[in-house]
Amino acid sequence: MSTLRRARHGLTAHPLTLDAVLAAVVLLCMIAGSFAAPDGDHGVTWGGRSPDPLSLVLMVLAAAALVLRRRSALAVLAATGTLALVECVTGDPRAPVAMAAVIALYTVASTTDRATTWRVGLLTMTVLTAAAMLAGPLPWYAQENLALVAWTGIGATAGDAVRSHRAFVQAIRERAERAERTREEEARRRVAEERLRIARELHDVVAHHIALVNVQAGVVAHVMDRRPDQAKEALAHVREASRSALDELRATVGLLRQSDDPAAPTEPASGLGRLDELAGTFRNAGLPVQVARADQETELPAAVDLAAYRIVQEALTNAQKHAGTGAKAEVSVVRVGPNIEVSVLDDGAGATGAPSGGGGHGLLGMRERVTALGGTLTTGPRYGGGFRVHAILPVQTLAGAERKPV
């Protein structure tokens, strides 16, 4: 069995050799068929007749033309059809040269489109049958004349079926390849989104706590010599802010761990439940913050809860950095129908309260968070001074937001 498989693989790898073998087999079949008399007393009689020299030449030429059937199918069909036409008119007794034309017609049907198959098939059938009936030595109703209709029809139909099957298999293969490419692109897109989400998380954590550390460090430098007690208190706030930053960084990086990595304790995700604690850190840094809540203790999805917390955190960080000395901030969280509205206001007069010059990504990050959840974000200067950040977040998140917070 392995020898047969190797032989078949070798023929498939060399189509010209395969066609030469096919041509030899067809030639043997035509020669054998030319010695059979189909109208004997007991049916087909072998050896009851013998082909004339012209028929032998026509059979050899037709079989030789089949060797090139893959390279030029229509030309081979024209050549074998012409040889079969000559045999139909002159052969007596007739040899089955039309067998080569049927093979050539099958090749044309299996390698071209259906319209071409219909046109060429009908033309071949009509010409050969009409020539055999009208100009051949046999009566028009002879069995051999009628058989030309059947054999040419079988050749065209079989070739069209093979072509359709090949096209179907190719379509399935292309669909599978497209699906595989789509899965790979989707995987790469999800990886990119996850990286962007983690980058935003890291930005929010680091920007907030580093801003507090920077402010407290400035206080220490200012009062170190004159008021050491206040400097000591500011250093304690620096240490607390840095510890909080490390804890949140550890929790964020913990998201990158694989399932088989050693378990590591991580803090719960930030949310509005820690809003008072967040406001306290800014009060300790010198920014008075008032918090007002009228959300009736609404149970928020994790994505909305985290986004609301990060919006307040980023807005207060911007106020701390840009609102100027003596500024105050107000935070409000209100449940309005199906939405949660989060507002952060400051009355800074020395600056706009917004990041300067396009160097920061805080407002862009807030807008991306809100948009991902299907909400709206409004930011801008307030009339009379200060800055306003107002976000409307739906309590019921969009599909997939709960599973993949942004």
Side-chain angles (χ1 to χ4, degrees):
M1 182 62 68
S2 60
T3 304
L4 179 60
R5 187 181 298 111
R6 286 195 299 269
R8 181 166 44 184
H9 177 73
L11 290 177
T12 304
H14 301 84
L16 187 62
T17 303
L18 179 60
D19 290 339
V21 173
L22 175 63
V25 173
V26 171
L27 178 60
L28 292 177
C29 292
M30 288 190 294
I31 292 175
S34 64
F35 286 93
D39 52 355
D41 296 335
H42 302 286
V44 178
T45 303
W46 294 96
R49 63 176 184 172
S50 58
D52 55 22
L54 178 60
S55 297
L56 290 174
V57 173
L58 294 175
M59 286 187 286
V60 171
L61 293 177
L66 291 179
V67 178
L68 303 176
R69 68 187 186 97
R70 296 177 190 264
R71 296 187 178 181
S72 183
L74 288 174
V76 171
L77 175 60
T80 54
T82 301
L83 295 173
L85 180 63
V86 174
E87 172 64 20
C88 289
V89 175
T90 63
D92 188 17
R94 184 181 299 169
V97 181
M99 183 177 181
V102 171
I103 300 296
L105 179 59
Y106 163 85
T107 304
V108 171
S110 63
T111 56
T112 58
D113 56 278
R114 181 162 295 172
T116 303
T117 299
W118 274 97
R119 290 194 297 268
V120 173
L122 289 176
L123 178 63
T124 303
M125 179 190 301
T126 303
V127 171
L128 292 182
T129 304
M133 289 183 175
L134 298 177
L138 298 177
W140 70 269
Y141 53 84
Q143 179 180 355
E144 295 181 36
N145 294 338
L146 299 177
L148 289 173
V149 178
W151 284 111
T152 51
I154 291 174
T157 303
D160 184 72
V162 170
R163 180 196 55 79
S164 299
H165 177 71
R166 290 173 182 169
F168 176 73
V169 172
Q170 181 65 22
I172 292 178
R173 184 179 295 109
E174 292 177 355
R175 190 178 301 115
E177 292 175 354
R178 284 197 302 270
E180 184 66 24
R181 288 195 299 269
T182 302
R183 283 194 296 268
E184 293 176 356
E185 292 172 358
E186 179 67 14
R188 287 194 294 268
R189 185 186 65 81
R190 290 183 179 181
V191 169
E193 289 181 353
E194 184 67 10
R195 288 175 177 172
L196 180 61
R197 184 187 70 81
I198 294 174
R200 285 199 299 261
E201 289 293 327
L202 292 175
H203 168 268
D204 292 341
V205 171
V206 173
H208 163 60
H209 291 289
I210 294 301
L212 296 181
V213 170
N214 180 63
V215 171
Q216 295 295 342
V219 172
V220 172
H222 184 68
V223 302
M224 176 66 75
D225 297 329
R226 293 176 299 173
R227 303 181 61 180
D229 293 339
Q230 186 175 354
K232 186 176 180 180
E233 181 181 354
L235 288 175
H237 291 319
V238 169
R239 182 176 61 182
E240 181 180 354
S242 61
R243 183 186 301 112
S244 298
L246 290 175
D247 291 339
E248 291 203 32
L249 284 173
R250 188 180 300 111
T252 303
V253 175
L255 298 174
L256 299 175
R257 294 184 180 273
Q258 302 295 328
S259 59
D260 55 350
D261 288 344
T266 57
E267 288 190 353
S270 301
L272 292 180
R274 300 177 59 186
L275 185 57
D276 292 334
E277 178 185 347
L278 177 66
T281 61
F282 283 97
R283 295 190 189 103
N284 294 332
L287 176 66
V289 180
Q290 295 183 354
V291 178
R293 298 189 63 172
D295 53 346
Q296 293 82 37
E297 298 182 354
T298 302
E299 187 72 20
L300 297 177
V304 176
D305 201 20
L306 176 62
Y309 178 88
R310 294 303 187 198
I311 290 170
V312 174
Q313 183 186 57
E314 183 65 33
L316 291 177
T317 301
N318 288 338
Q320 177 74 46
K321 292 191 294 185
H322 304 288
T325 59
K328 298 191 294 277
E330 300 177 2
V331 179
S332 64
V333 181
V334 182
R335 173 69 183 268
V336 181
N339 302 318
I340 285 287
E341 297 191 11
V342 179
S343 299
V344 181
L345 312 175
D346 69 72
D347 58 357
T352 63
S356 60
H361 301 281
L363 294 180
L364 177 61
M366 283 191 285
R367 192 171 305 279
E368 289 179 350
R369 288 179 182 275
V370 174
T371 303
L373 296 172
T376 58
L377 178 70
T378 304
T379 61
R382 298 174 61 193
Y383 179 76
F387 201 77
R388 175 176 181 267
V389 175
H390 180 71
I392 301 177
L393 301 172
V395 175
Q396 299 297 327
T397 61
L398 296 174
E402 179 67 22
R403 296 190 301 272
K404 186 176 65 177
V406 293

